[in-house]
Amino acid sequence: MTAVLEASSLGKRYGRRWALSDCTLSIPEGKVVGLVGPNGAGKTTLLHLGVGLLAPTSGSIEVLGGRPADGPAQLGRVGFVAQDAPTYAGLTVDKHLRLGAYLNPSWDDQVAHHRIEELGLDPSQRAGSLSGGQRAQLALTMAIAKRPELLLLDEPVASLDPLARREFLQTLMEVVAEQGVSVVLSSHLVADLERTCDYLVVLVASRVQLSGEIGGLLASHHRLSGPRRDPGSLPATQDVIEESHTERQTTLLVRTDDAILDPTWTVKPVTLEDLVLAYMGRARDTQPTRRSGLKVLR
Amino acid sequence: MIEFQLDSTSGVATYLQLVQQVHQALQLGLLEPGDQLPTAQQVVGKLAINPNTVLKAYRDLEREGLARARPGQGTFIVGTLPRTDPAAQARFLASMAKWLVSARSAGLGPDDIEAIYRTAFRNCFAEGVA
């Protein structure tokens, strides 16, 4: 399968601070990818590198087999909606579409107008007076109407109310169904990702902690609980992602492709949220510098 | 045409919820051979779920011989499921209620009863589970 986004030892430094370092990642085509991780993990930097708004300090990134922003053709293949879905407050909806048509050789005016009509937006209204949800929809329409092969969306629904969020994701999923576009979507809202994404990437401190088809990931992880025991005594094929112990009981989240045969365990399936939290927690615990404040909680 | 609903708290995979709803609609007679299922676009436009989830559900239904995709037209119901007999349902509901009353009068609480039910249910349907 070809990759829509491939990063190898990718890094970006601002002055002395590395916003992203040594990031290696491969995202297959035709997926709706949920990119999750704590604030400061490098998600936004990664997306900006992917669209070509930033140039790498080190390593390399390829998007749809080309270098990001390497000429008009490459630019036309990638649609991008930045955080908080920025629009031009002083321009009307209609002028946004004319601007889009003027700037994008591959612009599909029919798609653009059809979307605006379906959303019930008034073409003569200024973007500055639209609601947050409408603005996000306008920004998405702009990104869709250029007919990209890949859409990069940076926390597109974070600031929207639940109804606007649902409507935004409905539009997005319709576009995926109609145009077969690949999507990478960063978000903290796991419930939204659960509905819309079929591929997950967990990024913590520039490192990919977990990446794969969500169905497969959920099937290969299990929550085990039983009498207290040392996780070191588990079969070698069971990788312990998260563990907690009381005096008598042990609860583990393990990854394994094999069946769990030990009858002393109660085995339960995991949710996407369990997975995200477990991998984010594990990454945090292996970073001694950030741990100090968290010990108190335990 | 049937309209799918999602229960995000059920813990049941989304595609499976769609499959089960088609099964139920067939059992209740809400769907019959020849009926069209909503297109992936229609479903995702309403539920905001990944289109592949819908396609996966429809593939499952095809495998079961209940639905068939006609290229360029959509997915149609081609099979049937035995209707649930309302009289049988009522009979089992009554015997279950009787059982519950006797369990309560034997001093079992709601948690005990639920644990018994779950164990019996699991044992009964254990075949087919890996």
Side-chain angles (χ1 to χ4, degrees), chain A:
Chain A
M1 200 182 284
T2 44
V4 288
L5 192 153
E6 189 130 43
S8 172
S9 308
L10 182 66
K12 174 68 195 175
R13 194 182 58 204
Y14 295 104
R16 277 181 169 179
R17 197 177 66 84
W18 287 88
L20 191 75
S21 67
D22 200 20
C23 175
T24 297
L25 170 72
S26 180
I27 292 175
E29 144 189 85
K31 303 288 174 205
V32 180
V33 181
L35 178 63
V36 292
N39 295 323
K43 302 188 297 287
T44 296
T45 304
L46 177 63
L47 293 176
H48 282 202
L49 287 163
V51 78
L53 281 171
L54 293 173
T57 310
S58 63
S60 68
I61 179 165
E62 267 194 8
V63 171
L64 301 164
R67 218 168 43 145
D70 189 20
Q74 177 74 19
L75 282 170
R77 298 171 72 196
V78 182
F80 177 59
V81 177
Q83 213 159 359
D84 299 327
T87 51
Y88 296 97
L91 293 188
T92 62
V93 170
D94 191 51
K95 284 202 167 130
H96 273 86
L97 299 193
R98 278 160 59 194
L99 183 68
Y102 180 72
L103 292 174
N104 293 284
S106 60
W107 185 260
D108 190 331
D109 218 32
Q110 211 183 337
V111 164
H113 282 96
H114 177 69
R115 278 276 154 225
I116 294 300
E117 203 174 301
E118 225 164 52
L119 296 165
L121 294 185
D122 173 5
S124 64
Q125 198 174 346
R126 283 174 200 277
S129 64
L130 295 173
S131 71
Q134 290 172 324
R135 258 202 314 278
Q137 290 275 17
L138 175 60
L140 180 61
T141 299
M142 303 281 288
I144 290 166
K146 62 189 271 191
R147 289 269 182 184
E149 293 164 54
L150 171 66
L151 263 179
L152 301 176
L153 309 174
D154 193 2
E155 299 204 23
V157 294
S159 60
L160 304 185
D161 67 63
L163 180 62
R165 215 160 76 208
R166 173 58 56 84
E167 287 169 350
F168 184 95
L169 294 174
Q170 283 169 338
T171 305
L172 180 63
M173 289 300 106
E174 275 174 349
V175 172
V176 171
E178 283 160 20
Q179 302 187 8
V181 61
S182 304
V183 178
V184 180
L185 166 76
S186 76
S187 179
H188 288 303
L189 300 159
V190 179
D192 288 342
L193 299 177
E194 204 149 26
R195 291 176 94 99
T196 55
C197 297
D198 48 17
Y199 200 93
L200 178 74
V201 175
V202 179
L203 190 73
V204 181
S206 300
R207 300 296 160 91
V208 175
Q209 304 295 331
L210 178 69
S211 147
E213 299 265 356
I214 290 176
L217 292 177
L218 291 177
S220 60
H221 288 79
H222 312 274
R223 172 89 62 197
L224 309 184
S225 58
R228 178 165 184 145
R229 63 190 273 187
D230 175 13
S233 67
L234 291 177
T237 53
Q238 295 179 6
D239 188 12
V240 176
I241 310 303
E242 189 183 67
E243 56 182 283
S244 68
H245 306 274
T246 65
E247 269 165 46
R248 298 201 182 153
Q249 199 185 26
T250 288
T251 305
L252 305 174
L253 195 150
V254 300
R255 178 176 198 166
T256 179
D257 290 324
D258 301 337
I260 290 160
L261 302 168
D262 190 334
T264 55
W265 291 123
T266 304
V267 184
K268 286 201 173 141
V270 296
T271 64
L272 192 62
E273 186 162 22
D274 293 333
L275 272 191
V276 168
L277 290 174
Y279 277 89
M280 275 170 55
R282 178 165 87 156
R284 181 199 61 200
D285 290 348
T286 51
Q287 288 177 291
T289 47
R290 296 200 186 174
R291 204 176 167 177
S292 48
L294 294 158
K295 267 199 171 153
V296 188
L297 292 172
R298 294 192 166 183

Side-chain angles (χ1 to χ4, degrees), chain B residues 75-87:
Chain B
T75 304
F76 293 82
I77 295 292
V78 294
T80 53
L81 284 176
R83 297 259 199 117
T84 314
D85 175 7

